[in-house]
Amino acid sequence: PVTAMAKQGNVFSSEQQGQIEVIIKDYLIKNPEILLEVSKALQKKQQNKMMDQASSAIEANADDIFNTTSPMSGNPKGNVTVVEFFDYQCVHCKKMSPVMKGLLEKNSNLRIIYKDFPIFGKSSTFASEAVLAAQMQGKYHALHEVLINKSQRLSPAVVLKAADEVGINTAKLKTDMKSETVQKALLANRKLAEKLHLMGTPAFIVATTPEGTFAKGSETFFIPGAASEETLSQLITKATPK
C-alpha cells in the first residue's frame, strides 16, 4: 500500500530519483509551454494576493486615501473616484496624463485625486514640493500640467521657471515648499504608498464614492502600473453606483 511505503520514507533509490529527474527535464524541454503556464499561474496568484492586500489596505485607510485636502480634478462630489499616485519624472506617469484628461471629459461624475509620490530622487521631490506649494496660491493644476507634460529633466531651475511662467510668486513658493503643510502631505502619501505596498509609479485606485464619500464595504480596484483608458473606463463603470 502507498501509506505503508510512505512510512518507510523515500520509496525511490538514488538511481531511480536520477532517472525520474532526467525524464522530467526531457519532458519540460520538449514541452516548454508548460513552464510558461506555470509562470502565468504563479504571476496570477501573486497578483491576486497583491489585490487582496491592497483592498484591505484601501478599506483601512480610506479616510486618508480619499481625503479632500489632496489636490483633485473633476466633480468634487463624484460618484466614482480615481486616486493616482505619480512622480513628475516617471515616463509612464507622463503617458497617463492624456488618458486622465480623457476620462474627465467623458465622465461628469468622476473625481480624480492626485497623490504626489516622488520616488526618482531629489529633483522629483523638489517638483512635488513646488506643485503642492503652488496649491496654496491656487495654482496646483497650472503647474501640474506643465511639469507632467515636460519631456526634459526637471531640475529645480526648470521647475521654478515653469512656476514663474504660470504666474506663481516664486519667492513665496520657495518658502511654502518647506512648510509643514507640504511636508506633511508628502509624508502622508509615502505612508499610504507603503501600506499599499506600492513598488513604483503610476498606481491607481478606483472606488465608489456616492456624493464624494467612500462607500465602505464596496468593491475597490487597484492597478499597480499604467493602464489604458479603456481599462480604467471599464473599472469606472463597475464602480458607478447603480
Side-chain angles (χ1 to χ4, degrees):
V2 174
T3 52
M5 294 174 66
K7 288 179 181 179
Q8 296 175 10
N10 193 342
V11 298
F12 300 110
S13 66
S14 297
E15 183 180 354
Q16 288 174 322
Q17 285 185 39
Q19 292 173 341
I20 291 171
E21 290 173 2
V22 170
I23 292 171
I24 292 174
K25 181 180 179 181
D26 288 343
Y27 179 78
L28 291 176
I29 291 174
K30 292 177 181 177
N31 301 275
E33 66 276 6
I34 298 293
L35 292 174
L36 182 59
E37 290 175 15
V38 171
S39 177
K40 286 181 178 178
L42 178 61
Q43 186 178 33
K44 186 173 183 181
K45 184 178 180 180
Q46 291 173 331
Q47 287 176 339
N48 289 338
K49 182 180 179 181
M50 184 186 295
M51 295 300 176
D52 290 340
Q53 288 178 333
S55 294
S56 298
I58 291 168
E59 184 81 24
N61 298 280
D63 289 343
D64 293 327
I65 293 172
F66 302 100
N67 68 52
T68 54
T69 58
S70 293
M72 66 177 69
S73 288
N75 188 339
K77 293 189 175 182
N79 290 334
V80 178
T81 297
V82 175
V83 181
E84 179 185 12
F85 287 81
F86 65 97
D87 182 303
Y88 285 105
Q89 294 195 117
C90 165
V91 174
H92 297 294
C93 297
K94 291 180 181 295
K95 290 181 179 179
M96 288 302 301
S97 180
V99 172
M100 305 309 285
K101 279 186 180 179
L103 292 173
L104 281 173
E105 291 171 357
K106 297 173 184 175
N107 297 273
S108 60
N109 276 316
L110 178 65
R111 175 179 64 167
I112 294 178
I113 293 178
Y114 302 95
K115 298 289 187 182
D116 288 74
F117 180 40
I119 60 174
F120 290 102
K122 292 181 179 179
S123 293
S124 289
T125 299
F126 188 95
S128 287
E129 288 176 340
V131 179
L132 289 172
Q135 186 179 16
M136 297 179 179
Q137 297 185 42
K139 295 282 189 177
Y140 177 90
H141 294 292
L143 188 54
H144 171 85
E145 284 301 312
V146 173
L147 297 187
I148 201 68
N149 289 299
K150 273 194 178 296
S151 57
Q152 68 189 113
R153 180 177 175 276
L154 296 180
S155 66
V158 170
V159 172
L160 291 175
K161 182 181 178 182
D164 182 61
E165 290 174 348
V166 297
I168 292 173
N169 181 331
T170 54
K172 183 178 186 305
L173 185 80
K174 290 177 184 179
T175 300
D176 291 339
M177 285 171 65
K178 301 304 176 183
S179 68
E180 185 178 7
T181 299
V182 168
Q183 296 305 315
K184 273 189 173 182
L186 285 176
L187 178 60
N189 290 351
R190 282 195 291 271
K191 287 183 176 179
L192 279 176
E194 289 174 5
K195 291 173 181 176
L196 291 167
H197 303 288
L198 295 191
M199 302 300 289
T201 55
F204 301 90
I205 296 170
V206 181
T208 304
T209 54
E211 294 297 309
T213 302
F214 176 64
K216 293 185 177 180
S218 62
E219 183 179 12
T220 56
F221 305 96
F222 174 65
I223 306 174
S228 66
E229 185 173 336
E230 181 182 5
T231 295
L232 286 169
S233 293
Q234 290 173 350
L235 296 181
I236 289 169
T237 299
K238 287 182 180 180
T240 300
K242 303 299 185 285

